[in-house]
Amino acid sequence: MADATLLDQVKDPKNRADPYPIFARLRANPVSRQHDGTYVAATHAAVASLISDPRISSETLPPAKRPLTGNPFTDWVVKPIREHITDTHRPFIFRDPPDHDALRASVMHQFTRERVQAMRKRSDRLVADLLNEKCGAREIDIVDDLAYPLPVTVICELFGVPREDEPKFHGWATQLATALEPDSLDDDAVRAKNSRCFDAISAYMAELIAEKRRHPVDDMLSGLANESAPGIGRMGQYDLIATSILMLVAGHETTVNLIANSVLTLMRHPEALERLRAEPGWAPRVLEEVQRFDPPVQFRTRKALAEIEIDGITIPEGAPVVLLFAAAGRDPEAYAEPDRFDPDRHDNRHFGFGGSLHYCVGAPLARFETEAALAALAGRLRNPRLAGTPPYRPGAALRGPQHLRLAIDGIA
Amino acid sequence: MSAAASPDRAVVVGSGLAGLRGAEAMRRAGFTGSLTLVGAEAHRPYDRPPLSKHVLTGAVAADATTLPSLVPLEAEWRLGTAATGLDRKNARVHLADGSSLPYDRLLIATGTRARAWPNPHEGRLAGVHTLRSREDAAALRGALAAGQRRVLVIGGGFIGCEMASACAALGIPVTLVEPSATPLARVLGTHLGDVIGAMHAARGVEMRCGTEVEWLEDDGRGRVVRAHLAGGGHVETDLVVVALGAVRNTEWLADSGLGADAGGLDCDADGHALDSEGRADTRIAAAGDVARFPHPLYDGRRVALEHWGHAVAQAEHAGRLLAGRRPDRPYAAVPTFWSTQHGINIKSVGLTEGADGFVIAQGSPKEGRFLAVYGRAGRCIAALSIDCARWLPAYAAQVAARAPFPPIRGATDQPADLAVLPPGFP
């Protein structure tokens, strides 16, 4: 009988730095039932099958819970409106077809090649500027000095969020990203905090959208607010707010971890760092391998809409299903020498950007931001060394170092 | 086990997608002998799918479709020189220029050509085209760019539908004539063919289904001006595109003793060519449109598939086979194809042939996005996605596993009843 507490162990902060031995034990069964009725898919084949299974739903959030406050206006006017937004106009990462597909198509329509190309150039410049600011320093925190500010600026500029408001998003995004941690849904304090945070960012976005309607400019939010994709109506106000919040949050929390995990992996594989320094064009392969080897999104939770038979197990209707991307990445059935970091491998079908319907919309951004960061770091940091063991952020699903301090002899 | 150490000679007849990828697979599998690629067309291998789409609308130039080489081939090219005969006894391929090439290993990937208009005189009129080669596409692009009063497309298969779609995109009036009740009736059945037909009609294509073009009239100076339909009626036109499907290029094998006819060249489960007695010639393999092979997914029924992905996958299989790598299992890739019409993505896996029912598994034809699954005798045999290709892989797995039909229940965006309907094949 398999250990039904393995997922608890994955979520346990003390295993945050290295959950991979637990993943190996989970892979002993392609799909296993945990003690709380959650089913975990841990092999590459099981994840691949379930992620594209049409009976797997992303509508996993329970209805919003907002306690009554005693203020009749808040309780009977504001609360129902907020619940309307949070329950029926959720961001499309938490929605199924057909709504998901229409919302996603509206976003893709604004993700034009010109915008992506422009941001790609811009992110090279941003990386150079961020490193220039650290010129003369003997230590650099990859997270605070680079991995965090870069994606925030990229997504804010792409959407047209004024520069002076960028700092607000740090707080909001970090808080809202906890909604992707499974246990946060059971924690009333976390949910209340998320709910307040959601109200604040919603109010901000509503104001910004109104501004983009009055004075449209060439940015994604103006486009979403004023145009419609072919065959799809213009997004409604609530969906527009929810979608913008999703893009702003998803656009940076995950990229921070991708950059930080990549740098940490390179520090632990000096020969790879050396090669990248000599060959900056290798960066794309490095980041794809990190997506397999130590991905920023370790797992996502879905829900079975019907009984699903897989590998001799029946997942019952309604059961939560955890797709353990990070375990699939180390599956020896899918990869030769899975625990070896090898950017040159040719069998890399990782789930770093998820897959199927919900495949990461922002993958091109994450890729060029990380490429720019890695190539510049390898080229410009003189003699980088890990300064201590990096502490991890709390999340098990969105996993990455809280800080990643490197001692350096300077920046070229 | 490994390729013979002695230098030997491989010949690939056919310089399209399958010929190129097959030659590359041979090299990749360790074949170090001499390699010669023979092609009837004068060009290095090029990609055909854009020819009926982006090339027609002018987004891509016809000569910008050359396929990239994935492996250094170190090959001799005999382009613009069709193979005219195969002498297996002396192991030589005869070419149109009178020369011949000896071979120790031979890959046959001669593909297909466009079926010509049955009346040769009418088929040669100015303004009457077919669409298969790069030259065909360039000529059609030139004619479309010059502006036309009305284009007539004869045949409602994929090429005909894509042609009509390109005309609509360019704002050129277009009529499509199809003898079946709907376009794509042979592939999708008339039920879903009707959905495709409505999609074309909604975008301004004049659909004339259930009738045929009887003859093409010229202006007395050799240029087409009018098409006469069966049962009376005519279409005024200055550009006719004959899209009546493809003919397999097997005539050059007529005296080879191989089992080849208009339906293709017979192969065994490994991919070796069979002679007319059904014996495998292990020096010869075939791949792509021309190869008729027993497909494990369809009870070993022999099929010849005109699909891009199949040409690549089967050529890789055949290339390895000729390089001396015994396959661990027969070639069994699930057939797939895609098409784009009016900006709508159409994608399919499996073969619908012989289906006795289909269901709309997700989405709805009314909304223009749906996934249909075809079944035969209680098994899933094919799936079709209209503008929802990301839904398709789950159903591809069902087709590959010959899962029970009707398929998956409880899917997102699934109609409540999941009714099994007759596909309506003509």
Side-chain angles (χ1 to χ4, degrees), chain B residues 141-166:
Chain B
R141 170 60 199 160
L144 293 175
Q148 300 292 333
R149 273 182 306 146
R150 176 165 292 275
V151 173
L152 172 66
V153 179
I154 304 179
F158 281 103
I159 294 296
C161 285
E162 289 178 4
M163 185 71 217
S165 160

Side-chain angles (χ1 to χ4, degrees), chain B residues 185-257:
Chain B
R186 193 177 55 80
V187 189
L188 305 184
T190 51
H191 197 120
L192 291 180
D194 204 34
V195 174
I196 303 290
M199 191 175 97
H200 280 273
R203 285 158 181 84
V205 178
E206 189 197 19
M207 299 299 289
R208 302 286 290 265
C209 292
T211 186
E212 283 179 78
V213 172
E214 281 201 323
W215 63 284
L216 299 172
E217 183 183 341
D218 65 77
D219 61 359
R221 293 186 300 276
R223 167 161 281 281
V224 70
V225 289
R226 203 167 288 121
H228 293 266
L229 304 180
H234 63 265
V235 177
E236 301 284 327
T237 178
D238 35 22
L239 182 71
V240 173
V241 183
V242 177
L244 296 175
V247 181
R248 291 187 168 74
N249 293 321
T250 51
E251 291 83 352
W252 69 286
L253 297 170
D255 300 323
S256 67

Side-chain angles (χ1 to χ4, degrees), chain A residues 159 205 209 221 239-249:
Chain A
F159 257 72
M205 290 313 306
I209 289 161
L221 194 54
D239 280 331
L240 184 49
I241 292 173
T243 302
S244 318
I245 295 172
L246 170 66
M247 293 293 113
L248 290 164
V249 174

Side-chain angles (χ1 to χ4, degrees), chain A residues 48-317:
Chain A
S49 167
L50 288 171
I51 200 170
S52 64
D53 193 302
R55 296 163 296 185
I56 287 288
S57 169
S58 290
E59 303 197 342
T60 53
L61 289 189
K65 266 199 257 171
R66 281 190 170 75
L68 295 177
T69 63
N71 176 331
F73 178 73
T74 306
D75 290 350
W76 303 107
V77 180
V78 176
K79 184 172 176 279
I81 293 175
R82 283 179 181 158
E83 285 179 356
H84 174 63
I85 297 174
T86 45
D87 290 350
T88 60
H89 293 273
R90 289 188 161 150
F92 62 80
I93 194 172
F94 295 119
R95 289 170 76 174
D96 289 339
D99 300 351
H100 161 274
D101 295 29
L103 293 169
R104 183 186 168 102
S106 300
V107 169
M108 293 311 292
H109 184 63
Q110 292 299 330
F111 238 108
T112 58
R113 184 188 303 239
E114 292 71 25
R115 285 197 177 122
V116 172
Q117 289 302 340
M119 284 320 297
R120 178 181 200 114
K121 280 213 190 87
R122 181 80 182 109
S123 78
D124 288 340
R125 187 67 251 160
L126 288 168
V127 169
D129 291 348
L130 288 165
L131 287 182
N132 290 344
E133 278 174 35
K134 298 295 290 179
C135 246
R138 290 286 158 161
E139 186 181 278
I140 181 168
D141 180 351
I142 294 301
V143 176
D144 284 354
D145 297 331
L146 183 70
Y148 225 104
L150 172 64
V152 177
T153 304
V154 167
I155 197 71
C156 286
E157 288 190 4
L158 192 63
F159 257 72
V161 172
R163 169 159 295 248
E164 61 271 21
D165 293 333
E166 280 182 25
K168 292 185 193 172
F169 282 91
H170 289 245
W172 287 333
T174 307
Q175 183 60 41
L176 289 173
T178 62
L180 297 182
E181 301 300 334
D183 291 344
S184 71
L185 301 177
D186 308 326
D187 184 332
D188 282 350
V190 173
R191 289 187 65 193
K193 219 169 165 187
N194 275 343
S195 168
R196 281 195 302 277
C197 182
F198 195 79
D199 287 347
I201 196 173
S202 299
Y204 175 88
M205 290 313 306
E207 185 54 42
L208 189 59
I209 289 161
E211 171 60 25
K212 301 287 181 190
R213 291 222 163 100
R214 283 192 299 268
H215 303 112
V217 284
D218 183 14
D219 58 39
M220 276 188 69
L221 194 54
S222 295
L224 286 169
N226 298 294
E227 298 161 20
S228 58
I232 298 168
R234 215 174 71 184
M235 241 190 236
Q237 176 80 352
Y238 295 143
D239 280 331
L240 184 49
I241 292 173
T243 302
S244 318
I245 295 172
L246 170 66
M247 293 293 113
L248 290 164
V249 174
H252 86 250
E253 283 302 307
T254 47
T255 312
V256 175
N257 291 341
L258 177 57
I259 295 173
N261 289 357
S262 299
V263 173
L264 181 56
T265 303
L266 286 171
M267 294 311 298
R268 289 172 175 163
H269 295 84
E271 68 298 336
L273 180 62
E274 204 46 50
R275 172 149 169 214
L276 183 60
R277 183 172 300 140
E279 203 184 311
W282 202 44
R285 295 208 73 104
V286 170
L287 88 90
E288 298 301 329
E289 176 67 345
V290 171
Q291 286 283 40
R292 178 194 73 82
F293 186 78
D294 196 21
V297 180
Q298 299 251 301
F299 59 88
R300 293 281 296 119
T301 307
R302 303 273 162 93
K303 186 177 77 182
L305 290 178
E307 269 190 9
I308 300 173
E309 301 262 348
I310 178 165
D311 286 291
I313 287 238
T314 303
I315 303 174
E317 182 184 336

Side-chain angles (χ1 to χ4, degrees), chain A residues 368-388:
Chain A
F368 67 62
E369 288 173 33
T370 308
E371 281 168 37
L374 295 184
L377 288 171
R380 294 184 62 187
L381 298 188
R382 290 208 186 102
N383 189 22
R385 287 100 57 207
L386 270 177

